[in-house]
């Protein structure tokens, strides 16, 4: 589990093209402040103000940067769903990074039940990387994954799959005879994987909703 704030900050910088010096200046610190914190362990902990600014800048919880655990409760009639800090690849495959989930979205309870009968504890929000499922799913989209809708309930649809050590999001087309499936990309620039054995893949959950930023 990646729970070291230094590793989290280093990964965020790599993913979003940020540099340590720029972040340091944003915090009003000398240009080497973040690099010394990440690489040398000085200071041992981020200051409260620096932690708050970084969490707001990256749009994450202060908890993952070493802050106190947060207690989040949704208003009456709303159900919170955790977001897991992993990326599912709509491309060649993202390395699995297991992280504790944090409340991220709150959905109307009645509306959520129209999407899935599963308990909220079996739901997770994850982010898409890559473009192999475009235009259905684009890089940066947040998707709602029903972790209880796999296994015996498996059917045609879009699923998060674990293949080897990667998590991918793909469309499945089941062969009515035998445990064979075709793994499809909605983007025609990417090839399909025909006639795959279900024993070779592990469906994690079915994608039941997606949210994206309109630019």
């Amino acid at each position: 589990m990646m729970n070291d704030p230094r590793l989290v900050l280093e990964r965020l910088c790599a993913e979003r093209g940020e540099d340590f010096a720029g972040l340091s200046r944003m915090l009003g610190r000398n240009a080497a402040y973040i690099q010394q914190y990440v690489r040398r362990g000085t200071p041992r902990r981020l200051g409260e103000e620096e932690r708050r600014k970084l969490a707001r800048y990256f749009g994450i919880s202060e908890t993952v940067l070493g802050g106190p655990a947060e207690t989040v409760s949704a208003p009456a009639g709303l159900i919170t769903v955790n977001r897991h800090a992993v990326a599912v690849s709509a491309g060649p495959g993202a390395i699995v990074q297991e992280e504790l989930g944090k409340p991220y979205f709150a959905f109307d309870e009645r509306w959520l039940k129209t999407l899935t009968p599963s308990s909220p504890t079996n739901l997770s929000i994850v982010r898409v990387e890559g473009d192999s499922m475009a235009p259905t799913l684009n890089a940066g989209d947040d998707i709602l994954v029903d972790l209880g809708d796999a296994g015996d309930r498996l059917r045609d649809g879009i699923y998060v799959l674990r293949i080897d050590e990667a998590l991918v999001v793909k469309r499945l087309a089941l062969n009515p005879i035998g445990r064979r499936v075709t793994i499809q990309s909605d983007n025609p620039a990417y090839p399909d994987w025909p006639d795959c054995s279900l024993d070779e893949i592990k469906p994690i959950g079915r994608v039941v909703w997606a949210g994206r930023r309109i630019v």
Side-chain angles (χ1 to χ4, degrees):
M1 188 190 322
M2 186 179 290
N3 55 7
D4 185 331
R6 291 177 175 81
L7 296 178
V8 171
L9 190 55
E10 186 171 26
R11 188 193 69 195
L12 285 169
C13 287
E15 289 178 348
R16 305 193 188 184
E18 301 287 349
D19 63 84
F20 293 158
L23 286 182
S24 298
R25 288 191 290 269
M26 184 267 292
L27 297 175
R29 294 282 191 163
N30 68 74
Y33 177 77
I34 292 295
Q35 183 175 9
Q36 290 175 344
Y37 168 70
V38 171
R39 300 285 167 78
R40 300 183 183 179
T42 303
R44 292 182 60 189
R45 294 182 180 86
L46 290 168
E48 183 176 343
E49 183 64 23
E50 287 79 11
R51 187 179 67 231
R52 183 179 299 114
K53 286 181 179 179
L54 287 169
R56 188 177 303 142
Y57 182 76
F58 284 112
I60 59 175
S61 167
E62 288 187 48
T63 304
V64 299
L65 294 177
E70 298 177 346
T71 301
V72 180
S73 57
L78 295 181
I79 300 295
T80 58
V81 175
N82 288 352
R83 177 176 178 232
H84 287 75
V86 301
V88 293
S89 177
I95 299 300
V96 178
Q97 302 173 50
E98 300 292 350
E99 298 248 356
L100 289 177
K102 299 295 181 184
Y104 188 69
F105 273 99
F107 296 95
D108 177 80
E109 184 175 9
R110 290 174 298 180
W111 179 83
L112 193 60
K113 287 181 178 178
T114 67
L115 292 182
T116 172
S118 293
S119 164
T121 59
N122 275 337
L123 303 177
S124 178
I125 296 285
V126 294
R127 183 155 291 176
V128 175
E129 289 186 348
D131 64 351
S132 76
M133 286 299 292
T136 309
L137 300 175
N138 295 319
D141 287 356
D142 287 307
I143 56 175
L144 179 63
V145 182
D146 185 350
L147 305 176
D149 197 346
D152 293 339
R153 296 172 60 183
L154 196 69
R155 59 199 185 280
D156 290 358
I158 299 176
Y159 284 83
V160 172
L161 312 171
R162 189 192 302 269
I163 301 178
D164 295 327
E165 293 302 318
L167 288 179
V168 299
V169 57
K170 295 289 182 183
R171 187 179 298 278
L172 292 187
L174 273 65
N175 187 323
I177 302 175
R179 294 175 54 82
R180 314 295 294 183
V181 296
T182 295
I183 302 175
Q184 300 173 325
S185 299
D186 284 5
N187 186 339
Y190 289 79
D192 295 341
W193 305 339
D195 197 33
C196 297
S197 170
L198 281 175
D199 297 328
E200 298 171 347
I201 63 175
K202 181 181 179 183
I204 301 298
R206 184 181 179 91
V207 178
V208 296
W209 176 89
R212 69 179 49 156
R213 179 183 177 185
I214 303 298
V215 294

